[in-house]
């Protein structure tokens, strides 16, 4: 095992080291003055069961950072292993909501049907965190189905294999 100090000279090595940790893939959606907005994110985590809190972290480098970081309501959609096409829609240059049937959460956030799990949230707080903002949301509603999650690790998309 080799080591390094995570400074600007080792930015790629630091990113690659973080990639050793497998994450689920989500699409975060919000309503905005410009219409529905969505972004693919793997910076999602549970924070608290009581009260029910989750977090996600929009990057400050995004031109849409402020509208996502300050949105009063948002929905986090956990994608199933066969839904990479949805992740692709909500990356830079993707089709976003074009031609996609959606609904609205009780708080007005766009919802994408057919995902593995959805957390409808109200923004609880936000915290400055380097080149990201940590947005904590209070979960108001959960919609869950059965299936396996879409996973991203080491620059590769995949599914979860269960141990025999």
């Amino acid at each position: 095992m080799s080591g390094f100090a995570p400074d600007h000279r080792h930015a790629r090595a630091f990113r690659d080291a973080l990639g050793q940790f497998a994450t689920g893939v989500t699409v975060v959606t919000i309503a905005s003055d410009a219409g529905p907005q969505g972004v693919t994110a793997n910076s999602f985590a549970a924070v608290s069961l009581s009260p029910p809190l989750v977090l996600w972290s929009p990057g400050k480098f995004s031109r849409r950072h402020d509208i996502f970081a300050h949105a009063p309501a948002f929905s986090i959609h956990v994608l199933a292993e066969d839904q990479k096409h949805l992740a692709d829609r909500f990356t830079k240059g993707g089709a976003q909501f074009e031609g996609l049937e959606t609904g609205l959460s009780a708080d007005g956030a766009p919802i994408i049907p057919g995902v593995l799990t959805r957390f409808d949230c109200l923004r609880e707080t936000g915290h400055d965190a380097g080149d990201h903002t940590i947005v904590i949301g209070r979960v108001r509603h959960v919609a869950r189905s059965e299936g396996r999650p879409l996973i991203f690790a080491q620059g590769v998309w995949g599914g979860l294999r269960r141990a025999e």
Side-chain angles (χ1 to χ4, degrees):
M1 181 177 284
S2 63
F4 61 90
D7 56 21
H8 71 279
R9 292 174 304 156
H10 297 100
R12 183 72 230 180
F14 184 55
R15 185 179 175 109
D16 290 346
L18 292 170
Q20 297 290 84
F21 184 73
T23 62
V25 181
T26 70
V27 172
V28 180
T29 60
I30 62 167
S32 77
D33 291 341
Q37 302 286 317
V39 65
T40 298
N42 65 346
S43 60
F44 167 73
V47 175
S48 172
L49 294 176
S50 183
L53 302 174
V54 296
L55 70 78
W56 81 285
S57 302
K60 292 179 182 175
F61 47 83
S62 170
R63 62 180 170 74
R64 300 182 300 161
H65 168 268
D66 290 349
I67 64 170
F68 277 99
H70 300 288
F74 55 92
S75 289
I76 299 174
H77 304 78
V78 178
L79 302 184
E81 67 183 342
D82 63 348
Q83 293 181 319
K84 183 180 180 298
H85 65 282
L86 288 175
D88 292 341
R89 287 183 80 94
F90 293 97
T91 58
K92 188 174 183 177
Q96 292 277 314
F97 290 95
E98 184 179 318
L100 186 64
E101 295 232 4
T102 61
L104 291 177
S105 72
D107 297 305
I111 56 174
I112 303 167
V115 297
L116 189 59
T117 302
R118 188 185 77 245
F119 300 93
D120 298 332
C121 304
L122 291 179
R123 184 181 185 279
E124 185 86 0
T125 189
H127 301 279
D128 183 59
D131 58 5
H132 283 69
T133 297
I134 298 170
V135 177
I136 297 178
R138 182 177 294 259
V139 180
R140 296 196 4 119
H141 180 78
V142 177
R144 183 176 179 268
S145 61
E146 295 299 319
R148 294 183 179 176
L150 179 60
I151 302 293
F152 186 75
Q154 299 177 336
V156 178
W157 303 84
L160 180 65
R161 277 192 19 223
R162 298 193 191 268
E164 298 295 321

